Amino acid sequence: MVNGKFTCRRRSSWLLLQTLIVMFFLPLQTVYDEQGRLEGKRTRMSIESLTGILDEGDIIFRYGNGVWSPVFRNVSLTEKRFSHAGVIIVEKGRFWVVHASAHEMNGVGYVSKVSLEQFLAVSSDYAVYRFGKEKNVRWRIAENAKSYIGRPFDSSFDIADRNRVYCTELVMHSVNDAVGYNAISPTVVNGVSLVAPDDCYEGRGFFSVADKRLSGKL
């Protein structure tokens, strides 16, 4: 029974990913190529300058170079810009990012903590958003994110199962639990609830604190 349930969940995951490819990736491939060339000309803000802006509990977004990056980016309905997200934490004076990631071929992964430098090393675009102005709220967001470290990646994309989470799902739970209400709500795609990247910063209470587009130079 356990093996059968696992197989069913994995099949559903692949069907969902295939649906996303057809719906979002193929029609927008040309746009992705053009934007990628444009962004490649921009100068990235230095890590030193960025760390002078960040605070614990900030939400960081990136557009990565992975196989699935165009697919996950295009799940967003309004701003199709980012493919991955994480929560900033501070330990021993250094900035780290708690995020959920998985192997691109088999979907196996977990929530981990990586350095800010490592998180941005594979990005061509990024931005950082903050919720509210109360530092204690951001501290709770960071603590919530840290509590997920070690949990498996949610390759079934089931937001009802908190034992497994994907990147934007981790952000949603960390923020909503910290503020006590649904500051982030999922997007419904073909009857399936998914937390899109833009769901995690377009709601009321979020504001930008760092943006590569604004800091870069052509």
Side-chain angles (χ1 to χ4, degrees):
M1 175 65 82
V2 174
N3 291 335
K5 181 178 180 181
F6 176 76
T7 302
C8 180
R9 288 171 65 87
R10 291 297 297 277
R11 286 177 178 173
S12 298
S13 303
W14 283 112
L15 287 174
L16 175 59
L17 288 175
Q18 290 169 357
T19 300
L20 292 175
I21 291 173
V22 173
M23 291 178 59
F24 299 105
F25 178 41
L26 295 179
L28 294 169
Q29 183 64 55
T30 301
V31 176
Y32 160 67
D33 289 341
E34 291 175 353
Q35 185 177 15
R37 287 195 295 269
L38 174 62
E39 290 300 324
K41 298 178 182 178
R42 296 184 180 272
T43 301
R44 183 175 304 174
M45 178 190 287
S46 69
I47 293 295
E48 291 77 15
S49 299
L50 189 58
T51 55
I53 300 172
L54 299 181
D55 197 2
E56 190 168 42
D58 287 344
I59 312 301
I60 186 167
F61 300 86
R62 78 181 185 202
Y63 181 67
N65 58 9
V67 174
W68 295 104
S69 292
V71 178
F72 295 135
R73 179 189 65 179
N74 291 325
V75 173
S76 294
L77 297 181
T78 55
E79 185 178 42
K80 299 178 184 294
R81 182 179 174 188
F82 305 113
S83 60
H84 193 53
V87 178
I88 298 288
I89 65 171
V90 180
E91 290 185 353
K92 297 181 179 179
R94 291 189 61 192
F95 286 99
W96 302 80
V97 180
V98 177
H99 70 135
S101 61
H103 191 281
E104 291 185 337
M105 301 306 295
N106 59 25
V108 176
Y110 55 94
V111 179
S112 64
K113 177 189 73 175
V114 299
S115 68
L116 177 64
E117 294 85 351
Q118 183 179 348
F119 185 84
L120 292 178
V122 294
S123 67
S124 60
D125 190 13
Y126 64 82
V128 180
Y129 282 79
R130 181 172 298 165
F131 183 84
K133 300 183 182 299
E134 297 181 9
K135 194 174 183 66
N136 63 328
V137 172
R138 296 197 297 276
W139 178 83
R140 290 199 299 269
I141 292 173
E143 290 298 304
N144 289 340
K146 286 190 285 187
S147 72
Y148 282 91
I149 292 177
R151 297 194 196 188
F153 181 83
D154 184 7
S155 59
S156 64
F157 300 93
D158 179 8
I159 60 176
D161 181 7
R162 291 201 178 199
N163 292 319
R164 297 173 177 269
V165 293
Y166 55 93
C167 65
T168 48
E169 180 186 4
L170 167 66
V171 170
M172 181 184 73
H173 292 320
S174 297
V175 172
N176 289 352
D177 289 349
V179 301
Y181 62 90
N182 291 339
I184 299 174
S185 298
T187 293
V188 179
V189 180
N190 279 5
V192 179
S193 293
L194 297 171
V195 187
D198 61 351
D199 290 332
C200 297
Y201 61 87
E202 289 198 332
R204 184 177 180 180
F206 291 93
F207 61 94
S208 174
V209 294
D211 193 310
K212 179 180 182 294
R213 286 183 177 176
L214 299 179
S215 63
K217 298 180 180 178
L218 289 175

